[in-house]
Amino acid sequence: MTWDSTNVARLREKTRRRHRLGRVGLYLSAIGFSLFAVFPFSWAVISMFKRSNDLYSRDNNPFWFNEPPTLQHIQYLFRETNYLTFVRNTLIVGLVVTAVTLAFSLPTAYALARLRLKWGERMGIAIFLVYLIPPTLLFIPMTRVINFLGIQETLWSLILVYPTITIPISSWLLMGYFKSIPMDIEEQAMVDGYSRLGAITRVVMPLMFPGIVAVIVFAFTLSAHEFIYALSFNKASAVKTIATGVPTELIRGDVFFWQSLQSAVVLVAIPIALVFNAFLDRFIAGFTMGAVKG
Amino acid sequence: MALLEVRGLRKEFGDVVAVDGVDIKSEEGEFLVLLGPSGCGKTTLLRMIAGLEHPTEGQILLGGEDVTDLPPRARQIAMVFQSYALYPHMTVARNIAFPLKAQGVDGPERDEKVKWAAGLFGIEHLLHRRPRQLSGGERQRVALARAIVREPSVFLLDEPLSNLDAKLRAAARDDLMGFQRRIGITSVYVTHDQVEAMGMGDRIAVMRDGKIRQMGTPEEVYHHPADTFVAQFIGSPPMNLLDWGDYILGFRPEHFLPEGVQDGGDRVPFDFFVNRIEYLGSERYLYGFIPGHEETKVIAMLPATVTVPLEEQRQHRFSVASDQLRFFDKDGGQKIPPQTIQA
Ligand SMILES: Nc1ncnc2c1ncn2[C@@H]1O[C@H](COP(=O)(O)OP(=O)(O)OP(=O)(O)O)[C@@H](O)[C@H]1O
Ligand SMILES: [Mg+2]
């Protein structure tokens, strides 16, 4: 083929068309995935405002309001159940567990990753093995410990038990993050005039940000959705979390308070989604920084 | 009084002896090069001077003060790592300002100093960038600027040029030397490149297996190697070494010349069987052996100005000026006084 101008023009046209098709395909699939992801959430949002007649009638369009929307089920949630208490309990347990997890797993992971400990490697593996024990097995001894300490029916039971799951896994996770930060950078900071602690807080921690966010997300969501321990240790309404309170108090026998259930879920999901969104940029930025020479 | 002194320094990692009894005295403003093959303990020695590694034995003195037990931050030493170790989450300006921040220098004074250091290395236009947006050569300059900004007493460099390509490397070497001469800062420079060492060092310390085998000016180390290791490690091609009965005989390839090229003086003649000739433009390399010592390869390097016709697979008459012959002990390879020699 020769490079005469008609050929080049044709090729250029072809490339342009292919490029345009590619963009169309990209947007179509992005829209498709968005709809897929949004669907359950939007259904929940619609249902929480639906009147019972509207919801239960088979002839009605399930995706839209056939009767005027109502706030009565949300009112029910706040007036007739301890929903706010559940939310408060979940927040307290989640925040304390997250703080405890970070306080223990950061130093543990640092020591395992950095200091030349004789048993470091093996301890790391041992910690990982804890992860392989199913929580249902640990359930019985845990119950005995909680009863022995006399902290059943308090939030302390959960604050004590959840870190036994989160600390080992978080340590393992953070160990990988610490190892990915070159030792050189830390030592350079020490030569540049900082103590080891100063070097860690000024140079290592900013680079650990994605790892720390991952641990916060993990520890908080685990505390928020854990069910078995929460159900068996705390049976009084005042010490339930959302995970146990909502299903136990809004499903009575075979009566489901669907709209209130949906409200309970949506009302906690929205603030969490907003918080994650705020962190998303920095979370991604953390992965794309070039540390040493390329 | 020496500015930097190291006495009987030793470092063991379990069974490995990385540094094995090193003594160094370096004067103010000196550019000292640590040269040695990979794994000989250069980095470990440097890290001990910086305070990043605690010696198993021995002392480190700065300006006469024992600093062996002081942490790195108390030593006023700057170090440039082989990887440059730039802080990826900071801009170039903040990278350079980082050591100043540790000293509590701030405000306009800090900006002033950052500008000065950046100016020294011609990187003022990069101050707002992040390390990942820099080329290898630019990163190296940033690392040097950061090291120099607080005017340290000693400057340690661990193979700072090893990641640059050949051309950039020559330019960076030039910059670095010019800068060191201007500032006159005492520097210890680690390399395993002997050309770099010869070109840059006021003095060279040749290391092997954790020990310093010889310390001296480039001329001393090149012309009067203390042992056979130094003789072979320095110079390219290395010194020819022949088993000569009771001792080892050595001479440099450029001193091994065809008979008649250089007259006068006291010359020792040798027969030389030439296997192969390599023509490299500015010089000719002749590979062969001396009859009676077939097991040892001998190399002659003739400058282009020597136009004597020579043929491959032929025996020729060569000679070495007798004051260019070197003698080494057979066991241990230590230098010994000149011997009388029958060729
Ligand atoms: N942290 C460590 N633990 C165990 N052995 C080590 C450690 N650091 C260095 N060594 C050993 O000490 C010896 C000297 O290492 P060093 O890094 O000082 O060599 P080097 O001269 O800098 O080599 P290179 O030119 O390859 O950088 C090597 O045998 C190395 O394996
Ligand atoms: Mg090294």
Side-chain angles (χ1 to χ4, degrees):
Chain A
M1 194 177 78
T2 53
W3 285 107
D4 60 57
S5 54
T6 46
N7 260 331
V8 172
R10 198 172 332 123
L11 264 176
R12 194 179 294 140
E13 180 53 34
K14 209 167 146 189
T15 318
R16 200 176 300 149
R17 203 166 32 205
R18 191 172 295 164
H19 179 75
R20 221 176 296 140
L21 274 177
R23 300 301 291 180
V24 170
L26 179 72
Y27 279 105
L28 278 183
S29 48
I31 291 168
F33 276 112
S34 309
L35 286 178
F36 179 73
V38 151
F39 172 68
F41 194 75
S42 57
W43 199 356
V45 171
I46 290 169
S47 312
M48 70 191 254
F49 295 109
K50 272 196 176 185
R51 290 168 194 273
S52 296
N53 283 338
D54 186 359
L55 185 70
Y56 291 124
S57 165
R58 288 236 213 146
D59 304 327
N60 285 345
N61 175 2
F63 302 111
W64 199 241
F65 298 104
N66 303 283
E67 291 177 27
T70 173
L71 289 174
Q72 87 189 57
H73 303 290
I74 301 174
Q75 279 168 5
Y76 181 86
L77 181 70
F78 283 95
R79 293 212 182 122
E80 306 299 322
T81 70
N82 284 323
Y83 182 64
L84 281 180
T85 310
F86 305 155
V87 171
R88 201 200 60 202
N89 289 346
T90 307
L91 272 179
I92 292 173
V93 172
L95 291 178
V96 175
V97 167
T98 305
V100 169
T101 304
L102 280 176
F104 279 87
S105 57
L106 275 172
T108 308
Y110 182 84
L112 288 175
R114 279 287 197 265
L115 309 178
R116 292 184 213 117
L117 299 174
K118 238 185 190 165
W119 290 86
E121 191 84 359
R122 270 169 267 190
M123 262 166 69
I125 293 169
I127 285 174
F128 185 64
L129 287 179
V130 174
Y131 179 60
L132 300 179
I133 302 173
T136 35
L137 260 185
L138 288 173
F139 171 69
I140 296 166
M142 285 295 189
T143 311
R144 300 207 54 169
V145 170
I146 296 299
N147 287 341
F148 174 78
L149 294 174
I151 52 174
Q152 67 276 36
E153 299 301 331
T154 67
L155 294 181
W156 290 111
S157 61
L158 303 183
I159 290 171
L160 185 74
V161 168
Y162 291 162
T164 64
I165 310 166
T166 56
I167 289 174
I169 299 173
S170 303
S171 302
W172 184 262
L173 192 80
L174 289 174
M175 204 166 95
Y177 278 95
F178 273 123
K179 280 187 178 162
S180 75
I181 297 172
M183 190 72 185
D184 281 4
I185 290 186
E186 207 176 320
E187 291 183 332
Q188 179 76 62
M190 285 164 72
V191 172
D192 281 348
Y194 295 88
S195 62
R196 185 182 283 272
L197 202 64
I200 292 174
T201 53
R202 276 157 207 276
V203 173
V204 181
M205 281 307 150
L207 298 175
M208 282 294 282
F209 189 78
I212 292 171
V213 170
V215 166
I216 291 174
V217 169
F218 167 70
F220 193 88
T221 44
L222 185 126
S223 322
H225 79 220
E226 201 282 335
F227 189 72
I228 297 178
Y229 291 127
L231 185 69
S232 58
F233 296 152
N234 294 351
K235 294 184 190 65
S237 191
V239 287
K240 280 180 183 168
T241 60
I242 296 177
T244 54
V246 169
T248 52
E249 308 212 348
L250 288 169
I251 301 171
R252 302 193 187 139
D254 53 2
V255 183
F256 288 72
F257 292 73
W258 280 121
Q259 296 97 318
S260 299
L261 279 168
Q262 304 282 33
S263 325
V265 173
V266 169
L267 290 179
V268 290
I270 287 172
I272 290 179
L274 289 179
V275 170
F276 277 151
N277 205 40
F279 278 113
L280 199 62
D281 284 346
R282 288 210 57 187
F283 195 56
I284 293 168
F287 289 114
T288 49
M289 281 190 294
V292 272
K293 79 184 118 263
Chain B
M1 184 181 63
L3 182 74
L4 167 69
E5 189 177 348
V6 159
R7 287 187 197 151
L9 211 59
R10 196 178 153 80
K11 178 71 188 177
E12 297 169 10
F13 293 108
D15 304 335
V16 184
V17 183
V19 171
D20 189 3
V22 164
D23 297 287
I24 293 177
K25 263 190 191 180
S26 181
E27 301 303 326
E28 178 102 46
E30 184 181 38
F31 197 97
L32 178 70
V33 174
L34 293 180
L35 174 68
S38 191
C40 71
K42 307 181 293 290
T43 298
T44 309
L45 177 56
L46 214 61
R47 288 170 57 84
M48 284 193 285
I49 297 174
L52 293 169
E53 212 80 66
H54 197 265
T56 314
E57 257 174 57
Q59 282 171 304
I60 298 160
L61 293 90
L62 284 173
E65 300 290 326
D66 188 337
V67 298
T68 317
D69 294 318
L70 293 185
R73 65 179 182 279
R75 297 191 185 192
Q76 276 297 305
I77 285 182
M79 181 161 174
V80 176
F81 286 69
Q82 196 173 345
S83 64
Y84 307 148
L86 299 179
Y87 309 119
H89 56 301
M90 300 182 192
T91 59
V92 168
R94 282 189 59 212
N95 261 283
I96 299 175
F98 196 65
L100 295 174
K101 227 157 106 186
Q103 289 182 319
V105 179
D106 39 34
E109 195 189 346
R110 187 158 83 199
D111 298 343
E112 198 75 14
K113 286 200 162 176
V114 169
K115 273 216 193 89
W116 165 76
L120 274 180
F121 295 96
I123 48 170
E124 299 102 320
H125 59 295
L126 303 174
L127 284 176
H128 60 279
R129 294 217 205 150
R130 287 185 191 259
R132 69 163 182 279
Q133 299 165 321
L134 302 177
S135 74
E138 289 165 344
R139 285 177 202 195
Q140 186 227 12
R141 283 150 188 261
V142 175
L144 289 170
R146 179 180 59 186
I148 221 66
V149 72
R150 60 183 170 150
E151 297 167 62
S153 59
V154 178
F155 196 22
L156 307 177
L157 302 115
D158 191 357
E159 308 201 27
L161 308 185
S162 64
N163 292 297
L164 306 180
D165 66 45
K167 203 171 152 197
L168 203 55
R169 203 167 164 157
R173 191 158 79 197
D174 214 39
D175 282 358
L176 195 60
M177 287 313 292
F179 157 77
Q180 203 268 342
R181 294 269 183 274
R182 250 180 298 144
I183 307 285
I185 184 172
T186 312
S187 309
V188 182
Y189 183 100
V190 163
T191 181
H192 59 238
D193 180 343
Q194 48 112 1
V195 179
E196 220 169 274
M198 296 290 289
M200 298 176 86
D202 290 326
R203 279 197 303 162
I204 300 177
V206 185
M207 286 186 73
R208 187 193 191 183
D209 297 339
K211 290 194 177 72
I212 291 187
R213 305 294 281 258
Q214 186 174 8
M215 185 134 105
T217 63
E219 291 80 14
E220 281 167 7
V221 173
Y222 187 79
H223 291 295
H224 303 282
D227 58 25
T228 50
F229 169 74
V230 177
Q232 292 227 288
F233 194 71
I234 293 197
S236 166
M239 184 178 267
N240 292 306
L241 293 175
L242 294 161
D243 187 335
W244 211 263
D246 298 332
Y247 48 83
I248 292 171
L249 178 67
F251 50 87
R252 294 259 169 219
E254 66 270 26
H255 294 134
F256 194 46
L257 297 170
E259 193 102 276
V261 169
Q262 236 168 14
D263 293 322
D266 188 11
R267 297 190 71 83
V268 181
F270 295 91
D271 285 329
F272 182 38
F273 187 89
V274 179
N275 271 326
R276 196 162 58 80
I277 300 178
E278 249 172 37
Y279 178 70
L280 295 177
S282 61
E283 60 241 338
R284 269 185 294 177
Y285 283 17
L286 280 62
Y287 299 87
F289 57 85
I290 288 172
H293 301 273
E294 283 80 3
E295 73 291 343
T296 329
K297 203 157 96 178
V298 171
I299 304 174
M301 191 171 87
L302 309 185
T305 47
V306 175
T307 49
V308 181
L310 292 162
E311 282 173 54
E312 293 186 352
Q313 303 301 328
R314 265 296 160 74
Q315 192 158 312
H316 300 274
R317 283 297 273 180
F318 272 59
S319 69
V320 181
S322 57
D323 60 354
Q324 295 299 346
L325 289 173
R326 301 288 174 259
F327 303 87
F328 303 96
D329 190 20
K330 263 190 114 165
D331 11 79
Q334 301 301 314
K335 182 170 81 177
I336 52 172
Q339 313 281 315
T340 46
I341 157 168
Q342 324 69 24

